[in-house]
Amino acid sequence: QVQLVESGGGLVQAGGSLRLSCAASGRAFSTYAMGWFRQGPGKEREFVAAIIWDGSNTYYADSVKGRFTISRDNTRNTVYLQMNSLKPEDTAVYYCAAGRSIAAVTTSPEYWGQGTQVTVSS
């Protein structure tokens, strides 16, 4: 069992930055691929970024490539999402997710966090 708790969301002006954190419980954290998803107002939940268990490979949605960076610290059981050059269309609830593989975490995660709100004003 893995429990995920996100933090770091808030209100920021366009062009600004935020760093989201996702703290995981459970000794198996380092064996899971981790991902971030988001759901904007009136939209379906969409994939944002994912990272393999040891951090050696990362994957991004085209809409955030070059602006967002996913990373993890397995000693702290934490995954991060550094968001730069934020745009109003990045406004969403951001969710952390865990899965047994990159394929699993990007398509059907096994565990979800409760989400953290990110609002980007123009």
Side-chain angles (χ1 to χ4, degrees):
Q1 185 80 9
V2 176
Q3 292 185 323
L4 305 173
V5 179
E6 302 96 333
S7 61
L11 174 64
V12 64
Q13 288 188 331
S17 299
L18 279 177
R19 188 176 81 154
L20 305 183
S21 299
C22 173
S25 65
R27 291 174 289 180
F29 172 78
S30 63
T31 68
Y32 281 84
M34 300 297 296
W36 288 95
F37 290 73
R38 67 186 182 186
Q39 187 166 16
K43 299 181 180 179
E44 294 189 354
R45 189 176 298 187
E46 64 176 0
F47 167 75
V48 175
I51 188 166
I52 201 170
W53 68 276
D54 64 354
S56 60
N57 281 303
T58 56
Y59 305 84
Y60 298 94
D62 288 344
S63 58
V64 305
K65 275 182 185 175
R67 299 188 299 122
F68 291 11
T69 303
I70 188 171
S71 61
R72 67 189 296 161
D73 184 344
N74 287 344
T75 66
R76 297 177 183 271
N77 279 15
T78 302
V79 63
Y80 305 97
L81 185 68
Q82 177 67 44
M83 306 185 294
N84 299 327
S85 301
L86 282 160
K87 305 174 182 180
E89 51 263 44
D90 294 318
T91 294
V93 177
Y94 283 72
Y95 298 90
C96 178
R100 296 286 183 175
S101 66
I102 281 293
V105 77
T106 56
T107 58
S108 55
E110 192 169 343
Y111 300 103
W112 291 95
Q114 84 290 348
T116 185
Q117 176 71 47
V118 171
T119 303
V120 184
S121 64
S122 58

